[in-house]
Amino acid sequence: MNRLLLLACTVLMLSACGNKEKEYDATGTFEATETTVFAEQSGALLALNINEGDIISQGQEVGCVDTTQIWLKIQQLRATKKVYQSQKPDMEKQIAATRQQLAKAQTEQQRYKELVADGAAPGKMLDDATSQVQVIKRQLDAQISSLNTTLSTLNSQMAATDVQVSQLYEELRKCHVVSPISGTVLEKYVEQGEFVATGKPLLKIADTENMFIRAYVTSTQLQNIKVGQKTKVFADYGNGDKKEYEGRVSWISSRSEFTPKTILTDNERADLVYAVKVAVKNDGYAKIGMYGEVKF
């Protein structure tokens, strides 16, 4: 009787263990959006005020490349603009004498017109006076045209100088190393004082606050998963230590792939699986590369 009771208990325990629901549907690793910051200007790196592990904010200046040569070019162009400014003609002063000659010639023309009308002067004198007025008018028009051309040329040269100054200010801005995102400094590739060329990697930043776990599911599981769906995510610290997070499915691959060797799915080693990203708001405990589990 005791043996039968013991056998029955054993069968029930094994049955219970066999029916125990799996704690997760898929496994994967934690990842974060990583950004590499490159040098946008060549020169000596005067400062790089960050260390690996530092948390920095978007728009924060973390370093600076030598700006001396660019600043000197800006000062040179400003001086050039002042020279162009000083060469601009004062049109009213330069044509004042010609205007005075024209006014005098027009007065003479009017006087001879009255004399000819009274028969006190020959018509040739009026013709000569009229011709003189026309000549001075043409001289005035030519003078105004020449001065306008000079003025337009100088204005164009000044505008071109302004454009060059704006370009140099853009280069000056690029000398300041600014973080494009908020996150944690993962790697620092250079040190203060080094010469850096345009395009050289300076540091790598990761958004460790908004992380995601990349897991893989089978086509059978996929039919019950959709973007925006809430999930449970467990960060696996090993030895059974886990931390639970609330997750949300942010992306589902549109094509299947062979199961990565390091990943186990619900069918463990299914031939074809689909990648899924589950977004997680990190509290600082989840780390890049850490294994995790997803419960849909």
Side-chain angles (χ1 to χ4, degrees), residues 10 59 82 87 94 121 131 149 154 160 168 171 194 266 271 280:
T10 303
K82 287 182 178 180
Q87 292 176 349
Q94 293 199 29
S131 177
T149 300
L154 290 171
L168 288 173
E171 292 183 19
E194 291 186 37
D266 190 47
D271 288 338
V280 175

Side-chain angles (χ1 to χ4, degrees), residues 13 26 134 216 220 265:
M13 289 176 63
Q134 295 300 322
Y216 294 84
T220 304
T265 66

Side-chain angles (χ1 to χ4, degrees), residues 159-199:
T161 303
D162 288 337
V163 171
Q164 289 177 298
V165 170
S166 297
Q167 290 173 335
L168 288 173
Y169 268 114
E170 176 63 15
E171 292 183 19
L172 198 64
R173 181 194 65 78
K174 291 179 179 178
C175 288
H176 298 272
V177 182
V178 175
S179 173
I181 63 170
S182 297
T184 303
V185 178
L186 296 183
E187 295 182 74
K188 180 180 176 181
Y189 302 118
V190 293
E191 295 293 338
Q192 180 175 326
E194 291 186 37
F195 181 89
V196 296
T198 302

Side-chain angles (χ1 to χ4, degrees), residues 49-57 60 62 182-189 203-209 284 287-288:
N49 306 316
I50 49 97
N51 293 299
E52 293 178 357
D54 286 352
I55 298 175
I56 55 181
S57 303
Q60 178 180 336
V62 296
S182 297
T184 303
V185 178
L186 296 183
E187 295 182 74
K188 180 180 176 181
Y189 302 118
L203 62 146
K204 181 184 287 185
I205 310 168
D207 182 2
T208 53
E209 182 178 351
K287 305 297 181 183
I288 297 173

Side-chain angles (χ1 to χ4, degrees), residues 11-194:
V11 170
L12 288 173
M13 289 176 63
L14 291 174
S15 177
C17 291
N19 293 332
K20 184 179 179 181
E21 186 182 356
K22 204 170 188 179
E23 293 183 355
Y24 60 87
D25 296 314
T27 64
T29 54
F30 283 92
E31 300 178 7
T33 301
E34 298 181 3
T35 301
T36 301
V37 179
F38 296 89
E40 296 186 81
Q41 286 293 329
S42 298
L45 189 62
L46 300 182
L48 190 61
N49 306 316
I50 49 97
N51 293 299
E52 293 178 357
D54 286 352
I55 298 175
I56 55 181
S57 303
Q58 182 180 13
Q60 178 180 336
E61 183 173 333
V62 296
C64 182
V65 177
D66 187 10
T67 62
T68 304
Q69 293 303 315
I70 297 175
W71 182 250
L72 290 176
K73 288 179 182 178
I74 290 175
Q75 300 308 309
Q76 182 181 20
L77 285 171
R78 283 177 172 171
T80 301
K81 183 178 179 180
K82 287 182 178 180
V83 171
Y84 291 145
Q85 183 72 39
S86 66
Q87 292 176 349
K88 292 176 69 174
D90 188 334
M91 291 186 61
E92 290 304 318
K93 286 184 178 180
Q94 293 199 29
I95 64 177
T98 307
R99 285 190 185 280
Q100 189 174 0
Q101 291 176 5
L102 178 61
K104 183 179 179 181
Q106 288 173 333
T107 301
E108 288 292 314
Q109 180 189 32
Q110 182 62 32
R111 187 167 67 86
Y112 282 122
K113 186 181 293 185
E114 293 174 356
L115 290 174
V116 170
D118 294 338
K124 184 179 183 307
M125 297 185 69
L126 176 59
D127 293 340
D128 290 343
T130 301
S131 177
Q132 182 66 16
V133 169
Q134 295 300 322
V135 168
I136 295 176
K137 279 185 176 180
R138 291 191 186 97
Q139 289 176 345
L140 180 61
D141 290 341
Q143 192 175 13
I144 291 174
S145 177
S146 176
L147 290 172
N148 280 330
T149 300
T150 301
L151 189 62
S152 177
T153 300
L154 290 171
N155 284 336
S156 296
Q157 290 173 325
M158 291 173 63
T161 303
D162 288 337
V163 171
Q164 289 177 298
V165 170
S166 297
Q167 290 173 335
L168 288 173
Y169 268 114
E170 176 63 15
E171 292 183 19
L172 198 64
R173 181 194 65 78
K174 291 179 179 178
C175 288
H176 298 272
V177 182
V178 175
S179 173
I181 63 170
S182 297
T184 303
V185 178
L186 296 183
E187 295 182 74
K188 180 180 176 181
Y189 302 118
V190 293
E191 295 293 338
Q192 180 175 326
E194 291 186 37

Side-chain angles (χ1 to χ4, degrees), residues 209-254:
E209 182 178 351
N210 300 293
M211 297 183 68
F212 58 89
I213 184 170
R214 183 190 292 269
Y216 294 84
V217 298
T218 63
S219 57
T220 304
Q221 293 174 297
L222 191 62
Q223 64 183 340
N224 298 317
I225 301 172
K226 62 180 180 179
V227 174
Q229 178 179 333
K230 291 185 177 181
T231 68
K232 290 183 180 180
V233 175
F234 301 92
D236 190 349
Y237 295 96
N239 297 324
D241 293 333
K242 298 180 182 181
K243 185 174 179 61
E244 182 178 340
Y245 295 92
E246 182 179 306
R248 181 181 57 81
V249 177
S250 60
W251 172 81
I252 300 175
S253 176
S254 59

